[in-house]
Amino acid sequence: MPNQAKLLHRAKNHFVNCWQIYLMLLPVLAYYLIFQYGPLYGAQIAFRKFSFTAGITGSRWVGLKYFEDFFSSIYFPRLIRNTLLISMYNLIFGFPVPILLALLFNEVRSRKMQTVVQTCTYLPHFISLVVVCSLIKSFFATNGLLTALLSYVGFPAHNYMLDQSAYRSIYVLSGIWQNAGWDSIVFFAALAAVDPCLYEVAKLDGAGRLRQIWSITLPSIAPTIIIMLIIRVGYIMDLGSEKTLLLYNASTYETGDIIASYVYRKGLEEMNYSYSVAVDLFNSVINFTMIVLVNMISKRVTDTSLF
């Protein structure tokens, strides 16, 4: 009891002395409570036949009906396949690129050149997604710039935005171009924390630049890489509907339609709210399970984890 009273007294003094910091924290807490945790109350309509007139609690309880409808739907295999494939392509090809960019930035000795290159790679991130998707459609149209360049190296000149086999490649590559520079900031910051003395010792031992990167740089930023990988895997089923809705069309549904775009069509276009919430809830459960599993594996294998 005396120890508890002492801890409470210290906590009270700390709060009194630092009340300005806690006051600054209130808007952040309010944001998460209102916009992140508050909407969870409405998730129960996934188990009800939602009606605006009856409200959430007044709507009839139907249990797992909408989940069963989704699992037995003809769209279920296609949505799972497309979502997983595009996410895996993003992970396999998109995740290493920011790391490589950060390593390249770290090797540039000219401060001015480093600033110019970094600025050029960051800029696409600040371009509106609507503008980016419009440029993609324009470049890959039948008479588009990139279509013309591809035709010079032997590819057929046609509208690649109507080509099912090209959709995923365009989606993933455009995402890498837009976000790789911005994502490299985290790794570049981790590189700045590497002790320069380690490189000096490696030079005395005769290690070249590649050996220094392999033996010093990568192991030093490995915890950051693992944490970012865990976060990326946690979003493996959450691609977001915006880019898909802006890029895909009836010709590319077979390879481009994902869970997020399906939820949008069912919820907002067909106004089947309970069904769309059930699908989105299933997607969220998969994401949560993935991040917990990957975090657990990482903690056992590398002793590095997100939580």
Side-chain angles (χ1 to χ4, degrees), residues 13-297:
N13 288 338
H14 180 74
F15 180 79
V16 171
N17 294 330
C18 305
W19 65 269
Q20 298 94 336
I21 297 176
Y22 288 103
L23 185 64
M24 293 171 62
L25 186 64
L26 286 179
V28 179
L29 290 175
Y31 167 80
Y32 279 98
L33 289 173
I34 295 172
F35 297 105
Q36 302 296 326
Y37 291 101
L40 290 177
Y41 173 77
Q44 62 179 294
I45 70 173
F47 307 95
R48 298 177 181 271
K49 187 175 177 60
F50 177 69
S51 169
F52 277 110
T53 55
I56 294 177
T57 55
S59 299
R60 182 167 58 88
W61 184 268
V62 295
L64 300 176
K65 176 184 182 301
Y66 295 111
F67 293 93
E68 294 171 354
D69 290 346
F70 177 58
F71 296 149
S72 60
S73 169
I74 60 173
Y75 299 109
F76 178 73
R78 184 179 77 181
L79 295 171
I80 297 297
R81 182 184 68 248
N82 291 341
T83 304
L84 281 176
L85 283 176
I86 294 176
S87 294
M88 290 304 297
Y89 292 158
N90 274 328
L91 189 63
I92 294 171
F93 299 106
F95 184 74
V97 173
I99 302 173
L100 294 174
L101 274 178
L103 293 174
L104 290 173
F105 293 155
N106 194 51
E107 295 301 313
V108 177
R109 293 293 171 255
S110 171
R111 184 67 178 174
K112 183 179 290 186
M113 177 63 69
Q114 186 184 87
T115 302
V116 171
V117 175
Q118 283 182 302
T119 303
C120 291
T121 55
Y122 295 165
L123 280 178
H125 177 79
F126 297 99
I127 301 176
S128 168
L129 187 59
V130 176
V131 175
V132 170
C133 291
S134 298
L135 290 173
I136 293 170
K137 288 182 177 180
S138 176
F139 289 158
F140 285 100
T142 306
N143 58 348
L145 175 63
L146 293 180
T147 301
L149 293 175
L150 289 172
S151 65
Y152 280 119
V153 294
F155 288 92
H158 66 280
N159 191 339
Y160 283 93
M161 298 309 302
L162 302 177
D163 188 347
Q164 292 184 9
S165 60
Y167 176 85
R168 291 176 186 147
S169 299
I170 294 172
Y171 186 103
V172 172
L173 291 174
S174 61
I176 294 173
W177 169 75
Q178 187 176 17
N179 298 311
W182 181 258
D183 292 341
S184 69
I185 293 176
V186 175
F187 302 108
F188 192 64
L191 288 171
V194 179
D195 189 354
C197 295
L198 296 174
Y199 295 110
E200 297 298 329
V201 173
K203 288 179 182 178
L204 293 175
D205 290 338
R209 295 305 302 171
L210 290 178
R211 173 54 65 180
Q212 292 175 38
I213 292 172
W214 182 258
S215 301
I216 298 175
T217 308
L218 289 177
S220 297
I221 66 172
T224 303
I225 294 174
I226 292 170
I227 294 298
M228 297 304 295
L229 180 61
I230 293 171
I231 295 173
R232 285 289 293 270
V233 172
Y235 287 95
I236 200 166
M237 295 288 286
D238 188 13
L239 288 174
S241 61
E242 296 86 357
K243 187 174 181 179
T244 299
L245 292 171
L246 290 168
L247 284 182
Y248 80 161
N249 52 68
S251 300
T252 55
Y253 275 179
E254 189 62 32
T255 57
D257 197 18
I258 59 175
I259 292 177
S261 58
Y262 183 71
V263 168
Y264 176 88
R265 291 203 309 275
K266 283 292 181 180
L268 296 181
E269 293 182 2
E270 300 180 19
M271 292 186 291
N272 194 346
Y273 301 111
S274 295
Y275 183 85
S276 63
V277 171
V279 176
D280 200 38
L281 186 59
F282 160 76
N283 195 32
S284 299
V285 170
I286 297 297
N287 284 331
F288 177 76
T289 305
M290 288 294 296
I291 197 170
V292 170
L293 286 176
V294 174
N295 186 77
M296 188 184 304
I297 294 171

